[in-house]
Structure formats: structure tokens, C-alpha cells
Amino acid sequence: MLASDDQILVIGLGRFGRTLATALVRLGHEVLGVDVSPKVVQACAVDLTHVVQADATDLEALRQLGAGDFGRAAVAIGTDIQASILATYALVDLGVPRIWAKAVTSEHGAILERVGAERVIFPEIEMGERVAHTMVGRTIDYVELDADFVLIETTAPRELSGQTLKEAGLRQRYGVTVVAVKHPGESFTYATPETVVDLGDLMVVAGRRERAEAFASLP
Ligand code: ADP
């Protein structure tokens, strides 16, 4: 397989890596999946067109696969921290310019960044945080855009019912900006000052973490 800039290398095809690789294929990218386990490679052959068995901590093996020609790679090995670090290091050594790497602890993540990963993902930590928010208040989904800026999908608070967004003045009162509103049975539409919000509607709001969380916990 000849690598080009829009082809993506995914190393480690466990639950996370396999889902990532399959999603990339669905998004129209050509993906080369690599895993050390022949069993895993065999199982992934159904979803992925290109999948090979190799030890990603072995620089020579990666070189032979043409890993250095890929513009983007993801290291999705989690449990074996040493293998995750060595594989990331090998990709940096081979000159892969953009590397995403999965980490299981913050120390692991810090090392991956030092080694040269552009983006470190903490699936368990991030998902735990996100799910916690859906268990309290009116939050349905929670996305952290920055350490202090979040996007929250929530049901409309009682006090809004029947008001337009202009009348409600949420930016002044709660420091949140309403991005979109969904009336029951309809699709999400962009919010305008004239949008009327009713009980049972869904809203997507953006704002500073504390203010947005406070808004999402109104009754
Ligand atoms: P998940 O929690 O997403 O399933 P795991 O860390 O359990 O993640 O799985 C990672 C995958 O990475 C496994 O399929 C494993 O076989 C693979 N793997 C582990 N070490 C290496 C390595 N040195 N080279 C290539 N793949 C590896």
C-alpha cells in the first residue's frame, strides 16, 4: 500500500483503535490498521481494507510498512504503556508529522506529548467527565472545548417557557449563548433573538464552564 498524505495509520486495534479506524473509513479516508495480535488483525479484516500484523515498537517493522510516508497516525495502544510510548517514539523517528495518541493516565499523556504526539486523547477520563455531567441537572451532552469553555446540550429550564431568546436575555443573566434550539419532533435550528423556547425543547448553549454548568442546573 502506497501511503499518501490523506491516508491514515492506526496502530493498536483494540476497542478504541478499531472504532477510530472504522470511523475514519466511513469518513472516506484510506486507513492502514496495525496490530501485534494475528487474531485481532484477522477480526479487523472485515471492517478495514488494509490491516497488517506487526509490532509497532519495532522501528524496522514500521519502516518496512512505509509508516514514515503517512501524514497522520494514531497510536491507540492503551494498556501497554511502554508499547504506546515506544510506538509513538518510532513514528516521530520515522518523520510522521502529525500523531494522535491515546493515554490512560495524565503521566502517560505527558510523556506522549514530550515524545512528540501532537494531540493526546484520554478516552476514559474524558468520557467519565462527560457522563458525570449527564447524570446531574438537565444536561444531555457535554463537550469541553477548552479548559474553561464548554458546549452543553440541555432541556429548556422551566423559567424560559414561552419566551423569545431576546426576552430571556440569557447572555446577560447567565453568561451563556444559545447556539441552537430543537422543538419536539423537529430538527435543531440555529437560535435567533426571535426563537421561542418552550418546556420540552432542547437547547445547545456555549459559555464559560461554571456559568454554563449553573445554567444547566436550573430547575
Ligand atoms: P482498548 O482499551 O481500546 O481495547 P488496548 O490497550 O486494550 O485498548 O488494546 C490495544 C491494542 O493494541 C490491542 O489489540 C493490542 O494487541 C495492540 N497492541 C499492543 N501492543 C502492540 C504493539 N507493540 N504493536 C502493535 N499493536 C499492539
Side-chain angles (χ1 to χ4, degrees):
M1 171 178 170
L2 282 178
S4 82
D5 212 32
D6 51 84
Q7 292 174 324
I8 303 173
L9 182 64
V10 177
I11 290 177
L13 301 169
R15 284 159 305 173
F16 178 76
R18 188 171 175 177
T19 309
L20 175 72
T22 313
L24 288 167
V25 168
R26 194 167 32 79
L27 290 169
H29 295 274
E30 225 173 299
V31 172
L32 172 61
V34 177
D35 201 286
V36 74
S37 152
K39 248 172 139 177
V40 170
V41 167
Q42 203 179 7
C44 288
V46 188
D47 304 328
L48 305 173
T49 12
H50 310 283
V51 49
V52 293
Q53 191 253 320
D55 180 354
T57 63
D58 178 348
L59 186 74
E60 265 324 302
L62 284 184
R63 199 194 304 277
Q64 277 173 24
L65 289 177
D69 299 327
F70 282 80
R72 280 168 289 179
V75 178
I77 304 171
T79 319
D80 186 344
I81 293 181
Q82 181 172 327
S84 141
I85 294 166
L86 291 175
T88 305
Y89 184 66
L91 293 176
V92 172
D93 224 23
L94 289 168
V96 176
R98 307 191 65 193
I99 303 168
W100 280 251
K102 161 182 147 162
V104 288
T105 64
S106 52
E107 292 81 4
H108 180 196
I111 295 169
L112 292 172
E113 254 173 32
R114 282 281 181 92
V115 167
E118 171 180 321
R119 179 105 187 246
V120 177
I121 310 113
F122 302 89
E124 284 90 356
I125 296 174
E126 283 163 14
M127 197 41 96
E129 169 91 22
R130 204 162 154 186
V131 172
H133 282 92
T134 68
M135 294 178 73
V136 294
R138 305 181 334 275
T139 302
I140 289 165
D141 207 353
Y142 181 97
V143 182
E144 193 180 286
L145 300 178
D146 201 357
D148 187 35
F149 200 84
V150 300
L151 201 60
I152 296 182
E153 181 186 353
T154 149
T155 52
R158 217 178 295 143
E159 66 168 65
L160 276 194
S161 75
Q163 289 186 65
T164 63
L165 289 175
K166 192 174 170 191
E167 287 162 351
L170 298 182
R171 205 173 298 162
Q172 295 77 30
R173 290 170 54 220
Y174 295 105
V176 296
T177 300
V178 181
V179 180
V181 174
K182 183 182 192 299
H183 304 304
E186 296 178 17
S187 315
F188 266 110
T189 49
Y190 295 113
T192 70
E194 290 73 43
T195 304
V196 176
V197 183
D198 257 319
L199 223 54
D201 287 351
L202 296 181
M203 324 171 57
V204 175
V205 302
R208 300 256 155 251
R209 178 201 286 269
E210 264 185 34
R211 311 255 4 229
E213 285 175 3
F215 175 75
S217 49
L218 290 172

Short mmCIF file of all heavy atoms in Angstrom, two decimals, residues 11-18 34-37 40 54-58 76-80 83-84 87 102 104 124, ligand 1:
data_model
loop_
_atom_site.label_atom_id
_atom_site.label_comp_id
_atom_site.label_asym_id
_atom_site.label_seq_id
_atom_site.Cartn_x
_atom_site.Cartn_y
_atom_site.Cartn_z
N ILE A 11 -2.50 2.50 14.80
CA ILE A 11 -1.73 1.44 15.47
C ILE A 11 -2.44 1.01 16.75
O ILE A 11 -2.73 1.85 17.61
CB ILE A 11 -0.31 1.95 15.76
CG1 ILE A 11 0.43 2.08 14.43
CG2 ILE A 11 0.42 1.01 16.71
CD1 ILE A 11 1.82 2.63 14.56
N GLY A 12 -2.71 -0.28 16.86
CA GLY A 12 -3.44 -0.80 18.02
C GLY A 12 -4.91 -0.84 17.68
O GLY A 12 -5.56 0.20 17.56
N LEU A 13 -5.44 -2.05 17.47
CA LEU A 13 -6.83 -2.16 17.05
C LEU A 13 -7.69 -2.81 18.14
O LEU A 13 -8.42 -3.76 17.89
CB LEU A 13 -6.92 -2.93 15.72
CG LEU A 13 -6.13 -2.28 14.56
CD1 LEU A 13 -6.03 -3.21 13.37
CD2 LEU A 13 -6.75 -0.95 14.13
N GLY A 14 -7.54 -2.29 19.35
CA GLY A 14 -8.42 -2.70 20.46
C GLY A 14 -9.77 -2.02 20.24
O GLY A 14 -10.06 -1.54 19.15
N ARG A 15 -10.58 -1.94 21.29
CA ARG A 15 -11.91 -1.34 21.12
C ARG A 15 -11.83 0.08 20.58
O ARG A 15 -12.52 0.45 19.65
CB ARG A 15 -12.64 -1.33 22.47
CG ARG A 15 -13.18 -2.68 22.88
CD ARG A 15 -13.42 -2.71 24.35
NE ARG A 15 -12.19 -2.34 25.07
CZ ARG A 15 -12.10 -2.14 26.36
NH1 ARG A 15 -13.16 -2.26 27.12
NH2 ARG A 15 -10.95 -1.81 26.92
N PHE A 16 -10.92 0.87 21.15
CA PHE A 16 -10.81 2.27 20.74
C PHE A 16 -10.23 2.40 19.32
O PHE A 16 -10.80 3.07 18.47
CB PHE A 16 -9.95 3.04 21.75
CG PHE A 16 -9.74 4.47 21.41
CD1 PHE A 16 -10.75 5.40 21.62
CD2 PHE A 16 -8.54 4.91 20.86
CE1 PHE A 16 -10.56 6.73 21.28
CE2 PHE A 16 -8.35 6.25 20.52
CZ PHE A 16 -9.36 7.16 20.74
N GLY A 17 -9.11 1.73 19.08
CA GLY A 17 -8.43 1.84 17.78
C GLY A 17 -9.30 1.34 16.64
O GLY A 17 -9.34 1.94 15.57
N ARG A 18 -10.01 0.25 16.90
CA ARG A 18 -10.84 -0.31 15.85
C ARG A 18 -12.01 0.62 15.52
O ARG A 18 -12.33 0.83 14.35
CB ARG A 18 -11.35 -1.68 16.31
CG ARG A 18 -12.08 -2.42 15.21
CD ARG A 18 -12.36 -3.83 15.65
NE ARG A 18 -13.16 -4.52 14.66
CZ ARG A 18 -13.51 -5.79 14.75
NH1 ARG A 18 -13.13 -6.50 15.80
NH2 ARG A 18 -14.23 -6.36 13.82
N VAL A 34 -2.77 -1.44 12.11
CA VAL A 34 -1.66 -2.31 12.52
C VAL A 34 -1.93 -2.83 13.92
O VAL A 34 -2.29 -2.06 14.82
CB VAL A 34 -0.32 -1.51 12.53
CG1 VAL A 34 0.83 -2.39 13.03
CG2 VAL A 34 -0.01 -0.94 11.16
N ASP A 35 -1.74 -4.13 14.10
CA ASP A 35 -1.86 -4.69 15.45
C ASP A 35 -0.88 -5.85 15.57
O ASP A 35 -0.60 -6.54 14.59
CB ASP A 35 -3.29 -5.15 15.76
CG ASP A 35 -3.54 -5.25 17.26
OD1 ASP A 35 -3.03 -6.21 17.88
OD2 ASP A 35 -4.22 -4.36 17.82
N VAL A 36 -0.39 -6.04 16.79
CA VAL A 36 0.61 -7.11 17.02
C VAL A 36 -0.06 -8.49 17.06
O VAL A 36 0.58 -9.50 16.82
CB VAL A 36 1.41 -6.81 18.31
CG1 VAL A 36 0.58 -7.06 19.55
CG2 VAL A 36 2.73 -7.53 18.33
N SER A 37 -1.36 -8.50 17.34
CA SER A 37 -2.04 -9.78 17.50
C SER A 37 -2.65 -10.28 16.18
O SER A 37 -3.50 -9.60 15.60
CB SER A 37 -3.14 -9.63 18.57
OG SER A 37 -4.18 -10.53 18.33
N VAL A 40 -6.47 -10.33 16.30
CA VAL A 40 -7.10 -9.01 16.16
C VAL A 40 -7.08 -8.59 14.68
O VAL A 40 -8.07 -8.09 14.15
CB VAL A 40 -6.38 -7.98 17.05
CG1 VAL A 40 -6.85 -6.56 16.75
CG2 VAL A 40 -6.59 -8.31 18.52
N ALA A 54 1.94 -6.44 12.90
CA ALA A 54 3.32 -6.01 13.15
C ALA A 54 3.43 -5.47 14.57
O ALA A 54 2.44 -5.03 15.15
CB ALA A 54 3.71 -4.92 12.16
N ASP A 55 4.65 -5.53 15.09
CA ASP A 55 4.92 -4.97 16.41
C ASP A 55 5.35 -3.51 16.20
O ASP A 55 6.42 -3.25 15.65
CB ASP A 55 6.04 -5.77 17.09
CG ASP A 55 6.37 -5.23 18.47
OD1 ASP A 55 5.82 -4.18 18.86
OD2 ASP A 55 7.17 -5.88 19.16
N ALA A 56 4.50 -2.61 16.66
CA ALA A 56 4.74 -1.18 16.39
C ALA A 56 5.87 -0.60 17.23
O ALA A 56 6.26 0.55 17.03
CB ALA A 56 3.46 -0.39 16.62
N THR A 57 6.41 -1.38 18.16
CA THR A 57 7.56 -0.87 18.91
C THR A 57 8.85 -1.15 18.13
O THR A 57 9.92 -0.72 18.51
CB THR A 57 7.67 -1.54 20.30
OG1 THR A 57 7.89 -2.94 20.12
CG2 THR A 57 6.42 -1.33 21.12
N ASP A 58 8.72 -1.91 17.05
CA ASP A 58 9.87 -2.29 16.22
C ASP A 58 9.99 -1.28 15.07
O ASP A 58 9.22 -1.32 14.11
CB ASP A 58 9.62 -3.73 15.72
CG ASP A 58 10.72 -4.24 14.81
OD1 ASP A 58 11.56 -3.42 14.38
OD2 ASP A 58 10.71 -5.44 14.53
N ALA A 76 -3.18 3.88 19.27
CA ALA A 76 -4.34 3.56 20.12
C ALA A 76 -4.04 2.37 21.02
O ALA A 76 -4.92 1.57 21.31
CB ALA A 76 -5.56 3.30 19.24
N ILE A 77 -2.80 2.28 21.45
CA ILE A 77 -2.43 1.24 22.42
C ILE A 77 -2.57 1.90 23.79
O ILE A 77 -2.02 2.98 24.00
CB ILE A 77 -0.96 0.79 22.24
CG1 ILE A 77 -0.71 0.30 20.82
CG2 ILE A 77 -0.60 -0.28 23.27
CD1 ILE A 77 0.77 0.06 20.50
N GLY A 78 -3.34 1.29 24.70
CA GLY A 78 -3.53 1.93 25.99
C GLY A 78 -2.92 1.16 27.14
O GLY A 78 -2.06 1.66 27.86
N THR A 79 -3.34 -0.08 27.27
CA THR A 79 -2.95 -0.87 28.44
C THR A 79 -1.43 -1.02 28.56
O THR A 79 -0.87 -0.86 29.64
CB THR A 79 -3.62 -2.26 28.35
OG1 THR A 79 -4.95 -2.07 27.88
CG2 THR A 79 -3.65 -2.94 29.70
N ASP A 80 -0.77 -1.32 27.46
CA ASP A 80 0.68 -1.50 27.48
C ASP A 80 1.35 -0.13 27.26
O ASP A 80 1.62 0.28 26.13
CB ASP A 80 1.08 -2.50 26.38
CG ASP A 80 2.56 -2.85 26.43
OD1 ASP A 80 3.32 -2.10 27.09
OD2 ASP A 80 2.94 -3.85 25.81
N ALA A 83 4.62 0.02 25.30
CA ALA A 83 4.45 -0.15 23.84
C ALA A 83 3.89 1.13 23.23
O ALA A 83 4.30 1.54 22.14
CB ALA A 83 3.52 -1.33 23.56
N SER A 84 2.97 1.80 23.94
CA SER A 84 2.39 3.03 23.42
C SER A 84 3.46 4.11 23.25
O SER A 84 3.51 4.80 22.23
CB SER A 84 1.28 3.48 24.39
OG SER A 84 1.25 4.86 24.56
N ALA A 87 5.97 3.06 20.40
CA ALA A 87 5.38 3.18 19.07
C ALA A 87 5.30 4.65 18.66
O ALA A 87 5.60 5.01 17.52
CB ALA A 87 3.99 2.54 19.06
N LYS A 102 -3.40 7.85 22.33
CA LYS A 102 -4.34 7.61 23.44
C LYS A 102 -3.54 7.37 24.72
O LYS A 102 -2.57 6.62 24.72
CB LYS A 102 -5.18 6.39 23.09
CG LYS A 102 -5.87 5.72 24.27
CD LYS A 102 -6.63 4.50 23.84
CE LYS A 102 -6.61 3.45 24.95
NZ LYS A 102 -7.64 2.45 24.78
N VAL A 104 -3.79 6.57 29.11
CA VAL A 104 -4.68 6.08 30.16
C VAL A 104 -4.55 6.88 31.46
O VAL A 104 -5.46 6.87 32.29
CB VAL A 104 -4.52 4.56 30.43
CG1 VAL A 104 -5.10 3.74 29.29
CG2 VAL A 104 -3.08 4.18 30.66
N GLU A 124 -11.10 7.38 28.51
CA GLU A 124 -11.82 7.02 29.75
C GLU A 124 -12.05 8.25 30.61
O GLU A 124 -13.14 8.46 31.13
CB GLU A 124 -11.07 5.96 30.56
CG GLU A 124 -11.17 4.56 29.99
CD GLU A 124 -10.07 4.24 29.00
OE1 GLU A 124 -9.25 5.15 28.70
OE2 GLU A 124 -10.03 3.09 28.52
P1 ADP B 1 -8.64 -0.79 24.17
O1 ADP B 1 -8.95 -0.47 25.61
O2 ADP B 1 -9.02 0.30 23.23
O3 ADP B 1 -9.16 -2.14 23.74
P2 ADP B 1 -5.98 -1.89 24.50
O4 ADP B 1 -4.80 -1.17 25.00
O5 ADP B 1 -6.58 -2.95 25.36
O6 ADP B 1 -7.04 -0.79 24.10
O7 ADP B 1 -5.69 -2.56 23.09
C1 ADP B 1 -4.73 -2.09 22.30
C2 ADP B 1 -4.46 -2.96 21.06
O8 ADP B 1 -3.10 -2.69 20.73
C3 ADP B 1 -4.57 -4.47 21.25
O9 ADP B 1 -5.34 -5.03 20.18
C4 ADP B 1 -3.13 -4.97 21.18
O10 ADP B 1 -3.00 -6.22 20.52
C5 ADP B 1 -2.44 -3.86 20.38
N1 ADP B 1 -1.01 -3.74 20.69
C6 ADP B 1 -0.42 -3.83 21.90
N2 ADP B 1 0.91 -3.72 21.78
C7 ADP B 1 1.17 -3.53 20.46
C8 ADP B 1 2.34 -3.34 19.69
N3 ADP B 1 3.55 -3.34 20.25
N4 ADP B 1 2.22 -3.17 18.35
C9 ADP B 1 1.00 -3.19 17.75
N5 ADP B 1 -0.15 -3.36 18.41
C10 ADP B 1 -0.07 -3.54 19.74
#
